[in-house]
Amino acid sequence: MQIYFLVVFTHLLGGFVLSSHFLDEKIEDFASCTTLLNNNRFKLVLGIVTVLTALFTLLKVSPADVIIIGDILPAVSGFLLGGYFILCYFYEHLDESRSWMKGYVDFMEDRGHFAGLAAVIIAILHFLVPSALII
């Protein structure tokens, strides 16, 4: 039950972090949250918790779960979100830029609001229908 809560919470928070610039333009009062959401240490901690939560989502198996499809979408999106937040933190501290890291971080910087809104939708659907075959 705790992993289920953490999956939903980290996806909501990660989605808001990724789409914070987009939501800042659309929602007036969202600007007050933007400073916290764009803090590098906050992103690092959120990335670590998101990756660990995605890992434990894949490791938890009970007889009532749909093993292969039940939690695969939140786990994969959790790895992608958490990996991005961790790579962002270390990407700024590297002297040389690695091509795969630069490509992934640049892609998420340019198109991150789509991934952020998708993470929020995944979190809401996973909260409402946790044992569905497609979520």
Side-chain angles (χ1 to χ4, degrees):
M1 189 61 135
Q2 293 88 355
I3 296 297
Y4 170 72
F5 171 75
L6 282 174
V7 167
V8 172
F9 184 70
T10 56
H11 274 75
L12 280 175
L13 215 55
F16 286 140
V17 168
L18 275 177
S19 59
S20 64
H21 297 295
F22 177 75
L23 293 174
D24 192 22
E25 295 173 0
K26 301 294 179 188
I27 302 171
E28 291 179 15
D29 296 332
F30 197 77
S32 61
C33 300
T34 306
T35 56
L36 172 68
L37 295 178
N38 290 324
N39 186 353
N40 285 332
R41 287 191 179 147
F42 176 75
K43 285 183 180 180
L44 177 66
V45 171
L46 179 64
I48 292 170
V49 171
T50 304
V51 167
L52 288 175
T53 304
L55 178 67
F56 286 125
T57 299
L58 290 178
L59 292 178
K60 95 171 164 58
V61 175
S62 66
D65 286 345
V66 179
I67 296 171
I68 296 184
I69 304 172
D71 288 327
I72 198 78
L73 187 61
V76 169
S77 62
F79 282 125
L80 291 175
L81 285 174
Y84 166 70
F85 294 139
I86 293 170
L87 287 178
C88 271
Y89 182 79
F90 291 113
Y91 179 73
E92 294 177 358
H93 298 304
L94 286 177
D95 293 332
E96 61 186 57
S97 62
R98 312 245 191 277
S99 62
W100 65 271
M101 188 185 301
K102 181 175 175 25
Y104 182 62
V105 170
D106 289 343
F107 176 76
M108 290 298 277
E109 290 288 329
D110 293 338
R111 307 264 193 282
H113 61 278
F114 292 124
L117 294 175
V120 170
I121 291 170
I122 289 170
I124 291 171
L125 288 176
H126 192 62
F127 176 73
L128 293 176
V129 191
S131 62
L133 293 177
I134 57 172
I135 299 173

